Amino acid sequence: MDFAERIASELGYVALACDLHGNRKILSSDESRDVLAPLRAPGGFRARTHEPLRALVNEADVDPARVAAVGFCIGGTMALQLALDGVGLKAAVGFHCGLQFTIAPETLPNDAQLMALIGADDPAAPPEQRLALERQLTQAGIDWQMMLYGGVVHSYTQKDAAKLGKPELARYDAKADRRSWQEMAMLLAEVFAPI
């Protein structure tokens, strides 16, 4: 089941899935490097996230004051960056996401809660990046959480991660998948609790 469908069916939220590359195209590792490079440039994430957010908040069933962003891998990085852009999100959750962000003081979120759900052995999120992000978010006064899952690498939520043939990088972990989903669900329940 698609993650957006799962969020809607299991948690009862309106969910919008963004098709990052168009036409439901899934890129190989080699293809993704070239395509994702412009996204990592200054303003690149904004070009792909702000318009879908506007589309979502304009839906009749959506309360624009009660919106969160959730993403996996580069989508998780984009979700967290979107919150750091100060666009009024209540929360942002990144599953096995990257940890390098642009934090501009003039766009800091007022009350968004950020959550990164990371494998402790993820080579894409090494300890020095985790520590740097902790410092950056704390200094900016942002409400953040980072969950580390021991013995877990990247792509731990993708059941077909073994197809990549790179177990040191991408490996499904059922326990971390379940636990991280529960962490996300608890955060969303907290930020969307009735006033």
Side-chain angles (χ1 to χ4, degrees):
M1 180 187 309
D2 176 271
F3 287 111
E5 290 174 356
R6 188 174 173 202
I7 287 172
S9 66
E10 289 183 21
L11 304 178
Y13 300 119
V14 173
L16 170 69
C18 297
D19 185 358
L20 186 59
H21 309 298
N23 299 318
R24 294 182 168 245
K25 184 175 183 180
I26 297 174
L27 303 177
S28 70
S29 298
D30 294 333
E31 290 174 313
S32 67
R33 273 188 220 104
D34 294 335
V35 171
L36 297 178
L39 293 180
R40 291 190 173 102
F45 288 142
R46 286 182 188 94
R48 292 283 181 100
T49 57
H50 287 219
E51 189 59 37
L53 176 62
R54 280 191 288 276
L56 177 65
V57 298
N58 287 323
E59 288 293 315
D61 293 342
V62 174
D63 178 351
R66 295 166 48 94
V67 176
V70 176
F72 298 79
C73 193
I74 191 72
T77 307
M78 294 172 84
L80 295 174
Q81 183 64 64
L82 184 63
L84 291 169
D85 286 348
V87 295
L89 298 180
K90 297 300 284 180
V93 180
F95 290 81
H96 44 86
C97 57
L99 300 178
Q100 295 178 306
F101 301 98
T102 302
I103 300 179
E106 67 275 8
T107 62
L108 284 177
N110 293 333
D111 61 352
Q113 295 187 38
L114 275 61
M115 177 181 281
L117 304 161
I118 308 291
D121 296 334
D122 185 345
E128 59 273 10
Q129 280 187 12
R130 297 192 306 248
L131 185 57
L133 180 62
E134 289 177 27
R135 288 184 182 135
Q136 194 178 20
L137 295 176
T138 300
Q139 288 172 355
I142 294 169
D143 185 343
W144 65 272
Q145 300 176 61
M146 187 181 304
M147 306 301 173
L148 296 177
Y149 302 101
V152 175
V153 295
H154 196 67
S155 299
Y156 66 84
T157 64
Q158 296 177 324
K159 293 184 179 176
D160 63 350
K163 290 180 182 176
L164 292 175
K166 298 179 180 180
E168 72 287 352
L169 172 66
R171 185 174 60 240
Y172 178 68
D173 188 291
K175 191 182 289 186
D177 187 12
R178 184 180 67 253
R179 288 176 174 172
S180 61
W181 184 266
Q182 291 169 346
E183 291 289 348
M184 177 205 64
M186 286 190 299
L187 176 64
L188 295 181
E190 176 185 329
V191 300
F192 293 145
I195 299 171

